[in-house]
């Protein structure tokens, strides 16, 4: 049997992350969890009802930041283990315990947010005059004034946080823990299947028989859970709509975009331009992919196949260190040295094991180094994923080093720029190393199929579908699994047209991403990549210096997105960054086709 996964207990330590940088021992974690409520009570005793002067406000903000850091450390240590082994019952219990602790923490701290929102603006302005570092936090306080609720309501909502998080946990349990994907057979050989194996291995498999058989089996099992997942999703969206209404927003879109500090124009433009202007570019690429592989038709199961799988470059974890040092060199020695710390300090969980969630992520918390989760299969594509997540890590470290906690986190609109910028650096490095047309074609195709397909297509199509679902909720309508499948299929048909056959199972793609439980997050992938591409092209041409990009990484939340991107030489208030990105990709696809012509001679 092929592709068997091991239990977490059999994974070598060096392939796992080291959480001791957060708490050295489990006992230390438990003591901190027990101490936190006492610290919150002391904070309340000192400041509840007493935010009556500038100096008191400043002292309260500083203590607030300290407590928020402690809470985030508990959350990270308590919840990361579930990500790498959802089948670990002890980890599940710990995660739920921490969730309850943090809910109580949020409730205990809610008075501060309520009361600081009652402070008059002139006093808030004096805080910024005296402590400029708190400017971004005060900006958020002023914005939150418009949507504040009674203090007792805010406290109750904070206590209900685990309930609001329940739908996403139900989704994760259904797809990753309860679902048994079994095995499938091709040409007499049996293959083990899991959610992670499909998403990380079989979806890219070079053998069309294996790729399509895995697709069929995967969706057969997934379909059995569509009703419970649809119900969980409906519950989540109803919670968001209820909160939007309670806080006085006319639209759920305005409510969810408020925290990103962007308006609906930027949101809709990102989706509409890619759906309309980028779709023809991807149809051209997919049709070329079909022709190169000699496929009679390009099915939905075939979309992620490599253009030249026989030329795929294997990469070990050890070799990835050289790639990091060399490809990220344009960002300077200091940046590279910071990222290289991730190896000896074990920031990254590379393991393949039973119960590990699919995908990849970077978790950052103030005062500690970031944590990265990937699933390493030994291919160049894994290096792209690692570069992506280390891009998040680099921004997290620089933001935290240059900002107080309350202003360290950038807007969600910007968050995917640094990650995808590092992917572009990897592509550029690999391309410059070769004069072999086959290698150049392979590198360019990976840039399209991994960096841009993932962010400009997969996540963008999530966003386009998500927009239609939110429109239903905004209009007071409901949905079931059948309706969600209809909406997803409609979006896929609009984008791919006649270039792809959308066989059974394509409509269930809405069941495969946790992003739908994170507000209007999916569209920010393409927004971030647009920023990254424009900055990358300007740096390559000499129009901008890399110093501007590094300054952008260190901004945190100091500036709203439209101002922050200007530091990197990108103006997102116009459609030029998106137009230039699409033009760059169109030229790259044409170059791939040209190289194929050369190789076929």
């Amino acid at each position: 049997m092929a592709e068997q996964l091991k239990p977490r207990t059999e994974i070598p330590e060096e392939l796992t992350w080291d959480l001791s940088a957060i708490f050295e021992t489990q006992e230390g974690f438990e003591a901190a969890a027990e101490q936190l409520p006492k610290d919150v009570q002391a904070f309340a005793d000192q400041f509840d009802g007493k935010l009556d002067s500038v100096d008191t406000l400043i002292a309260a903000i500083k203590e607030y930041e300290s407590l928020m850091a402690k809470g985030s450390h508990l959350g990270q240590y308590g919840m990361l283990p579930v990500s790498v082994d959802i089948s670990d019952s002890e980890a599940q219990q710990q995660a739920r315990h921490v969730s309850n602790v943090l809910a109580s923490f949020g409730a205990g701290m809610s008075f501060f947010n309520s009361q600081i929102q009652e402070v008059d603006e002139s006093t808030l302005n004096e805080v910024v005059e005296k402590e400029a570092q708190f400017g971004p936090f005060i900006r958020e306080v002023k914005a939150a004034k418009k949507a504040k609720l009674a203090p007792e309501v805010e406290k109750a909502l904070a206590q209900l946080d685990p309930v609001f998080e329940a739908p996403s946990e139900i989704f994760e349990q259904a797809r990753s823990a309860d679902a048994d994907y079994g095995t499938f057979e091709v040409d007499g050989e049996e293959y083990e299947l899991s959610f992670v194996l499909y998403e990380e291995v079989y979806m890219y498999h070079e053998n069309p028989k294996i790729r399509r058989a895995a697709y069929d089996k995967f969706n057969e099992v997934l379909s059995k859970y569509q009703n419970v997942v649809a119900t969980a999703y409906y519950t989540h969206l109803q919670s968001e709509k209820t909160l939007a209404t309670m806080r006085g927003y006319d639209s759920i879109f305005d409510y969810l975009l408020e925290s990103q500090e962007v308006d609906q124009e930027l949101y809709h433009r990102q989706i509409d331009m890619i759906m309309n202007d980028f779709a023809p570019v991807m149809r051209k690429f997919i049709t070329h992919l079909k022709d190169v592989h000699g496929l009679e038709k390009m099915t939905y199961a075939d979309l992620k196949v490599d253009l030249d799988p026989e030329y795929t470059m294997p990469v070990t974890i050890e070799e990835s260190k050289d790639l990091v040092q060399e490809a990220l060199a344009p960002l300077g020695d200091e940046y590279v040295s910071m990222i290289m710390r991730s190896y000896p300090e074990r920031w990254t969980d590379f393991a393949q094991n039973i119960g590990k969630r699919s995908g990849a992520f970077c978790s950052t918390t103030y005062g500690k180094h970031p944590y990265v989760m990937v699933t390493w299969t030994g291919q160049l594509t894994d290096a792209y994923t690692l570069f992506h997540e280390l891009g998040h890590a680099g921004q997290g470290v620089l933001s935290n080093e240059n900002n107080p906690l309350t202003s360290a986190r950038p807007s969600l609109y910007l968050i995917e720029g640094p990650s995808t910028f590092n992917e572009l650096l990897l592509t550029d490095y690999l391309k410059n190393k070769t004069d072999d047309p086959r290698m150049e074609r392979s590198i360019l195709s990976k840039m399209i199929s991994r960096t841009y397909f993932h962010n400009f297509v997969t996540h963008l199509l999530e966003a386009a579908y998500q927009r239609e679902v939110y429109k239903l909720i905004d209009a007071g309508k409901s949905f079931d699994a059948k309706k969600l499948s209809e909406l997803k299929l409609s979006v896929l048909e609009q984008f791919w047209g006649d270039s792809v056959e959308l066989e059974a199972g394509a409509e269930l793609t809405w069941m495969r991403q946790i992003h739908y439980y994170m507000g209007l997050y999916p569209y920010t992938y393409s927004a971030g990549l647009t920023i990254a591409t424009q900055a990358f092209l300007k740096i390559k041409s000499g129009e901008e210096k890399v110093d501007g990009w590094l300054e952008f990484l260190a901004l945190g939340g100091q500036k709203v997105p439209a101002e922050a991107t200007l530091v990197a030489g990108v103006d997102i208030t116009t459609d030029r960054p998106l137009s230039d990105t699409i033009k760059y990709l169109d030229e790259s696809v044409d170059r791939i086709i040209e190289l194929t012509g050369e190789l076929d001679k």
Side-chain angles (χ1 to χ4, degrees):
M1 185 180 290
E3 309 291 357
Q4 290 191 354
L5 292 178
K6 296 179 179 179
R8 183 75 177 178
T9 53
E10 296 181 15
I11 299 299
E13 183 182 79
E14 63 268 20
L15 296 180
T16 66
W17 49 30
D18 179 12
L19 300 186
S20 68
I22 311 174
F23 292 101
E24 290 187 14
T25 63
Q26 180 70 15
E27 291 74 20
F29 159 73
E30 292 171 359
E34 187 176 340
Q35 180 63 36
L36 187 62
K38 300 173 185 176
D39 292 341
V40 171
Q41 186 58 55
F43 178 73
D45 292 342
Q46 184 177 1
F47 295 111
D48 192 356
K50 302 168 186 174
L51 302 178
D52 51 8
S53 72
V54 172
D55 288 339
T56 302
L57 275 169
I58 290 172
I61 294 170
K62 290 179 178 179
E63 183 59 24
Y64 170 80
E65 289 190 325
S66 175
L67 290 175
M68 292 299 289
K70 291 178 180 179
S72 70
H73 299 161
L74 284 172
Q76 195 175 42
Y77 187 91
M79 296 178 182
L80 285 178
V82 178
S83 300
V84 294
D85 190 0
I86 200 170
S87 64
D88 185 338
S89 60
E90 289 186 10
Q92 284 284 358
Q93 291 175 41
Q94 176 170 283
R96 287 169 183 163
H97 170 62
V98 167
S99 181
N100 290 330
V101 169
L102 294 181
S104 296
F105 168 69
M109 297 292 287
S110 65
F111 81 88
F112 176 70
N113 289 314
S114 295
Q115 291 178 23
I116 198 171
Q117 289 167 21
E118 294 292 339
V119 175
D120 63 87
E121 292 213 5
S122 61
T123 303
L124 294 175
N125 291 338
E126 287 185 55
V127 170
V128 179
E129 289 173 10
K130 201 163 186 178
E131 292 279 358
Q133 62 178 335
F134 295 134
F137 176 63
I138 297 302
R139 184 182 76 229
E140 293 176 7
V141 169
K142 290 178 180 178
K145 278 175 173 282
K146 298 179 292 185
K148 67 182 179 182
L149 300 172
E152 60 271 19
V153 177
E154 295 287 4
K155 183 174 183 178
L157 290 174
Q159 289 174 318
L160 285 169
D161 191 61
V163 179
F164 294 139
E165 294 298 320
S168 63
E169 185 177 346
I170 292 169
F171 165 72
E172 284 285 18
Q173 290 287 342
R175 71 167 182 166
S176 300
D178 290 345
D180 182 357
Y181 296 88
T183 62
F184 63 95
E185 186 176 314
V186 174
D187 294 335
E189 185 171 2
E190 193 175 18
Y191 295 83
E192 185 176 349
L193 183 62
S194 69
F195 194 98
V196 173
L197 277 174
Y198 180 73
E199 292 271 335
E200 305 290 345
V201 178
Y202 295 123
M203 188 164 63
Y204 305 95
H205 207 288
E206 62 187 81
N207 186 326
K209 287 185 178 180
I210 295 174
R211 190 169 63 242
R212 293 173 180 178
Y215 173 91
D216 290 339
K217 180 66 174 181
F218 176 73
N219 285 296
E220 175 192 330
V221 175
L222 208 59
S223 67
K224 296 176 182 177
Y225 296 85
Q226 59 185 305
N227 293 316
V228 68
V229 172
T231 301
Y233 188 40
Y234 179 72
T235 303
H236 174 74
L237 264 62
Q238 281 295 343
S239 297
E240 289 182 324
K241 179 60 177 175
T242 299
L243 289 171
T245 302
M246 288 174 64
R247 296 191 180 281
Y249 291 90
D250 295 328
S251 165
I252 196 170
F253 292 100
D254 292 331
Y255 167 63
L256 294 173
L257 289 171
E258 178 75 39
S259 62
Q260 297 182 22
E261 298 185 294
V262 297
D263 57 27
Q264 286 200 43
E265 181 182 354
L266 265 67
Y267 168 74
H268 291 299
R269 182 177 66 198
Q270 194 70 29
I271 296 173
D272 291 337
M273 281 191 68
I274 293 178
M275 288 294 291
N276 296 326
D277 298 348
F278 187 53
V281 177
M282 284 308 298
R283 291 173 193 169
K284 178 167 58 176
F285 175 73
I286 286 298
T287 299
H288 184 63
L289 194 63
K290 174 179 72 72
D291 293 342
V292 168
H293 279 275
L295 297 173
E296 182 180 339
K297 59 186 178 181
M298 177 61 72
T299 73
Y300 195 68
D302 300 322
L303 285 178
K304 297 295 183 74
V305 66
D306 195 290
L307 181 69
D308 192 353
E310 294 179 0
Y311 205 70
T312 298
M313 186 172 84
V315 178
T316 66
I317 295 172
E318 190 64 28
E319 289 168 339
S320 74
K321 297 177 183 179
D322 293 332
L323 284 178
V324 167
Q325 287 185 307
E326 295 169 15
L328 298 184
L331 293 177
D333 293 342
E334 191 172 336
Y335 180 92
V336 173
S337 295
M338 171 186 66
I339 296 298
M340 288 302 295
R341 284 170 39 206
S342 67
Y343 290 97
E345 295 178 10
R346 286 172 51 208
W347 298 4
T348 306
D349 196 281
F350 292 100
Q352 295 186 69
N353 60 262
I354 296 169
K356 189 171 185 177
R357 61 174 282 188
S358 67
F361 66 78
C362 175
S363 174
T364 61
T365 186
Y366 201 81
K368 305 292 182 180
H369 69 62
Y371 283 89
V372 168
M373 190 200 82
V374 298
T375 300
W376 196 269
T377 63
Q379 299 299 318
L380 179 60
T381 51
D382 300 327
Y384 272 93
T385 302
L386 181 63
F387 269 63
H388 181 102
E389 301 307 336
L390 289 177
H392 286 306
Q395 183 184 37
V397 172
L398 292 174
S399 294
N400 289 345
E401 287 179 348
N402 290 277
N403 299 279
L405 180 145
T406 48
S407 61
R409 186 162 182 82
S411 164
L412 199 62
Y413 187 87
L414 306 173
I415 211 75
E416 294 299 338
S419 54
T420 48
F421 186 91
N422 281 13
E423 289 190 56
L424 292 174
L425 286 179
L426 176 57
T427 294
D428 193 55
Y429 166 74
L430 293 172
K431 191 170 66 170
N432 289 337
K433 269 188 66 176
T434 184
D435 55 7
D436 179 354
R438 190 176 182 188
M439 174 63 90
E440 182 186 352
R441 187 183 70 162
S442 177
I443 292 164
L444 286 174
S445 68
K446 279 186 173 53
M447 180 185 75
I448 299 293
S449 63
R450 295 294 291 191
T451 303
Y452 287 95
F453 202 128
H454 191 61
N455 301 292
F456 250 54
V457 180
T458 301
H459 293 319
L460 192 282
L461 293 179
E462 290 170 5
Y465 151 81
Q466 184 187 47
R467 182 171 64 174
E468 298 308 309
V469 179
Y470 274 123
K471 284 179 181 178
L472 287 178
I473 297 299
D474 242 1
K477 299 178 181 179
S478 64
F479 58 76
D480 57 9
K482 181 181 178 182
K483 182 63 176 179
L484 293 179
S485 292
E486 289 174 357
L487 291 174
K488 187 63 183 181
L489 192 61
S490 176
V491 168
L492 294 174
E493 289 172 342
Q494 180 187 345
F495 187 85
W496 291 115
D498 296 333
S499 64
V500 177
E501 179 180 301
L502 301 173
E503 73 275 42
E507 76 284 355
L508 296 177
T509 306
W510 62 267
M511 296 181 64
R512 289 166 55 179
Q513 265 295 351
I514 191 68
H515 292 155
Y516 303 129
Y517 299 84
M518 300 178 181
L520 298 180
Y521 180 37
Y523 93 103
T524 64
Y525 277 88
S526 62
L529 186 48
T530 300
I531 295 166
T533 304
Q534 181 80 327
F536 171 77
L537 292 175
K538 285 192 169 187
I539 291 170
K540 281 285 291 180
S541 68
E543 188 177 343
E544 296 286 339
K545 295 185 181 300
V546 76
D547 291 352
W549 184 253
L550 292 170
E551 184 182 345
F552 168 74
L553 296 182
L555 278 177
Q558 289 177 34
K559 300 176 181 291
V560 299
E563 297 172 354
T565 57
L566 291 175
V567 173
V570 180
D571 185 358
I572 60 170
T573 64
T574 73
D575 63 7
R576 184 189 165 192
L578 197 46
S579 297
D580 286 353
T581 299
I582 293 172
K583 180 175 181 289
Y584 170 65
L585 294 171
D586 194 23
E587 292 170 350
S588 296
V589 171
D590 286 343
R591 177 59 178 162
I592 289 170
I593 295 172
E594 179 185 347
L595 288 165
T596 296
E598 292 179 15
L599 292 168
D600 288 344
K601 288 180 181 177

